[in-house]
Amino acid sequence: MTHSPLLRSDQTLFRDPDVFELTFVPEHLHHRDAQVRELAFLISPALRGGSALSAILRGPPGTGKTTTVRRIFHEVTEETRRIVPAYVNCRHDHTLLAVYRSIFKQVSGYPAPLAGRYLDDVKEGIAARLQDRNAALVVCLDDADELIVAGTYNTLLYQILRLYEKWDVRKAGVFAVTSNLGLNLGAEADPSVRSVFHPTEITFLPYTRTEIREILTDRARQGLYPRVISKPLLDRIATVAAGEQDVRVGIDLVRQAVLLAEKDGRRRVTHADVTAAARAVTAPGLLNRAARLSADERALLSWIAERSRDGGDMASGAVFEAAQEYLPVGKTTYHEHLNALTRAGIVDLVPRAGRGREVRLRYDAGDVAAACSSPDRTCKNPD
Ligand SMILES: Nc1ncnc2c1ncn2[C@@H]1O[C@H](COP(=O)(O)OP(=O)(O)OP(=O)(O)O)[C@@H](O)[C@H]1O
Ligand SMILES: [Mg+2]
């Protein structure tokens, strides 16, 4: 199929490699219209001389929270000088001073002078710039759970939201972002903060397979030369990324597969490139998932992987019967284990046309078996 001439060593398949960088802000933000509209609505009072409102953005990793905020902030900066957006990456900046210095730099366009190492100087500097420009501040605290860990969350929210009490500026809006679904950023705010922090909750659900495919197709169009990667291969990558519930996995897979083709001097990505790339990209995820299982669940998983690799009947009932010889567990326990494997995102229970369900692995059977018998696991290998 691929008898195209080989690449010369100075040729590349990437039209623009930056398109696959994590910090890349895509030209078009797919499937986030509702969230963009909501954020624009919260910012809009500041356009009319009022204050922006606040929000909590929640959603699992890779659901476009950071990208959505960056997109909106970019547009605000292009359109008006009456609003100053400041994006703070709390993974990097989580002390009071680091956060204020980050805001200062974005409000004034240059770093806070070193003499401004005292918090009040930096805060005063921020307020003074806002006054000069008669502008309203909107701060995004991305990955705000890091502030909770650092013990600065409440102090920062309190001080940023009450900046207007001490200085003659408009009340700031705060967008607090988290991918930790077990954490309620609203409830973490103490009462003195809650009296000034009335956030709207904005939810980011994982993208569906179709949505991921559109995002990847668009990314490939921007970043690669035409025909480097075929539509069926993008479909296949979208399926893997949807299984991982992370569009980032998909973007990374495209990049890795193209790099493999390029390394080999080919102009087209093949199935084998995608298989090899998928191994490297999904292996850490699979290992993490397998590590969270109990020894018995892992034993069952390992056995399922062997059977699937040998081409055995994967109907749930047949798997149960055959497993008896190795894992003498009752039907109830078997189903509990199976459900644990589904929750862990390693197997799917797919309804069969006739009746019953089929046990289907989300990963390559060999990789699953390897993850189960990884030396750092306590997995009792059933054979
Ligand atoms: N709607 C979209 N259209 C195009 N690209 C997108 C979209 N959503 C996400 N992406 C891309 O997917 C990757 C992950 O997105 P992003 O960093 O915004 O996720 P996130 O929700 O902030 O994840 P985390 O919680 O891990 O920080 C980025 O490379 C981004 O460019
Ligand atoms: Mg993010």
Side-chain angles (χ1 to χ4, degrees), residues 65-187:
K65 301 177 298 295
T66 299
T67 310
T68 303
V69 171
R70 284 201 171 277
R71 183 85 251 169
I72 286 261
F73 276 13
H74 179 76
E75 276 170 30
V76 164
T77 313
E78 300 263 285
E79 261 172 45
T80 178
R81 287 189 49 81
R82 302 196 69 184
I83 299 173
V84 184
Y87 171 86
V88 181
N89 179 340
C90 301
R91 266 182 219 280
H92 292 152
D93 298 323
H94 41 254
T95 65
L96 296 181
L97 188 57
V99 171
Y100 284 124
R101 286 182 70 91
S102 168
I103 297 174
F104 181 97
K105 186 161 178 226
Q106 295 175 73
V107 169
S108 59
Y110 54 88
L114 280 181
R117 60 204 151 90
Y118 297 109
L119 276 179
D120 277 339
D121 291 350
V122 184
K123 267 189 275 179
E124 191 172 337
I126 294 170
R129 297 304 175 297
L130 291 172
Q131 274 172 3
D132 290 349
R133 286 174 59 172
N134 184 22
L137 178 65
V138 182
V139 178
C140 170
L141 300 173
D142 199 359
D143 293 316
D145 24 324
E146 298 287 331
L147 301 178
I148 295 175
V149 176
T152 49
Y153 179 68
N154 274 294
T155 310
L156 271 168
L157 277 184
Y158 186 93
Q159 292 182 350
I160 293 173
L161 289 164
R162 289 178 186 257
L163 217 52
Y164 71 95
E165 289 182 343
K166 187 157 176 200
W167 321 94
D168 180 23
V169 292
R170 279 183 270 157
K171 189 176 164 202
V174 172
F175 299 161
V177 183
T178 183
S179 58
N180 180 346
L181 300 183
L183 186 73
N184 183 340
L185 284 176

Side-chain angles (χ1 to χ4, degrees), residues 184-205:
N184 183 340
L185 284 176
E188 290 290 332
D190 64 28
S192 61
V193 170
R194 258 182 263 163
S195 73
V196 281
F197 185 46
H198 310 288
T200 299
E201 283 249 2
I202 305 182
T203 305
F204 289 69
L205 294 176

Side-chain angles (χ1 to χ4, degrees), residues 30-353:
H30 296 274
H31 311 293
R32 288 297 177 237
D33 293 351
Q35 288 83 352
V36 167
R37 239 180 290 127
E38 185 79 48
L39 287 174
F41 171 78
L42 296 175
I43 292 177
S44 61
L47 278 174
R48 302 186 292 270
S51 310
L53 299 164
S54 293
I56 290 175
L57 282 64
R58 262 155 70 91
T63 48
K65 301 177 298 295
T66 299
T67 310
T68 303
V69 171
R70 284 201 171 277
R71 183 85 251 169
I72 286 261
F73 276 13
H74 179 76
E75 276 170 30
V76 164
T77 313
E78 300 263 285
E79 261 172 45
T80 178
R81 287 189 49 81
R82 302 196 69 184
I83 299 173
V84 184
Y87 171 86
V88 181
N89 179 340
C90 301
R91 266 182 219 280
H92 292 152
D93 298 323
H94 41 254
T95 65
L96 296 181
L97 188 57
V99 171
Y100 284 124
R101 286 182 70 91
S102 168
I103 297 174
F104 181 97
K105 186 161 178 226
Q106 295 175 73
V107 169
S108 59
Y110 54 88
L114 280 181
R117 60 204 151 90
Y118 297 109
L119 276 179
D120 277 339
D121 291 350
V122 184
K123 267 189 275 179
E124 191 172 337
I126 294 170
R129 297 304 175 297
L130 291 172
Q131 274 172 3
D132 290 349
R133 286 174 59 172
N134 184 22
L137 178 65
V138 182
V139 178
C140 170
L141 300 173
D142 199 359
D143 293 316
D145 24 324
E146 298 287 331
L147 301 178
I148 295 175
V149 176
T152 49
Y153 179 68
N154 274 294
T155 310
L156 271 168
L157 277 184
Y158 186 93
Q159 292 182 350
I160 293 173
L161 289 164
R162 289 178 186 257
L163 217 52
Y164 71 95
E165 289 182 343
K166 187 157 176 200
W167 321 94
D168 180 23
V169 292
R170 279 183 270 157
K171 189 176 164 202
V174 172
F175 299 161
V177 183
T178 183
S179 58
N180 180 346
L181 300 183
L183 186 73
N184 183 340
L185 284 176
E188 290 290 332
D190 64 28
S192 61
V193 170
R194 258 182 263 163
S195 73
V196 281
F197 185 46
H198 310 288
T200 299
E201 283 249 2
I202 305 182
T203 305
F204 289 69
L205 294 176
Y207 295 111
T208 63
R209 195 176 78 90
T210 315
E211 289 171 346
I212 291 180
R213 194 181 48 209
E214 276 176 48
I215 292 171
L216 295 181
T217 305
D218 203 36
R219 206 53 78 96
R221 191 183 44 74
Q222 284 181 70
L224 304 175
Y225 286 108
R227 291 184 298 284
V228 166
I229 191 161
S230 68
K231 217 167 144 308
L233 284 181
L234 281 176
D235 281 354
R236 190 177 152 203
I237 291 175
T239 305
V240 176
E244 295 281 313
Q245 301 213 322
D246 193 342
V247 64
R248 225 181 247 131
V249 167
I251 294 171
D252 218 31
L253 260 178
V254 174
R255 187 223 319 253
Q256 297 292 349
V258 174
L259 282 173
L260 287 175
E262 200 174 78
K263 202 165 118 208
D264 231 18
R266 283 178 279 110
R267 290 175 185 273
R268 307 260 190 281
V269 173
T270 62
H271 266 286
D273 292 329
V274 174
T275 306
R279 257 197 199 137
V281 169
T282 59
L286 173 59
L287 282 177
N288 279 334
R289 284 161 192 230
R292 286 197 293 265
L293 300 172
S294 74
D296 286 347
E297 289 157 2
R298 232 168 8 240
L300 175 64
L301 177 63
S302 174
W303 193 83
I304 289 175
E306 299 289 341
R307 185 175 172 85
S308 158
R309 196 157 54 172
D310 296 344
D313 179 4
M314 296 310 287
S316 167
V319 171
F320 172 71
E321 298 291 332
Q324 284 303 300
E325 207 177 311
Y326 302 93
L327 308 161
V329 294
K331 207 155 201 166
T332 315
T333 313
Y334 167 72
H335 281 292
E336 277 167 13
H337 287 352
L338 214 48
N339 285 335
L341 300 181
T342 333
R343 280 197 306 277
I346 304 176
V347 309
D348 288 310
L349 295 175
V350 188
R352 281 203 153 180

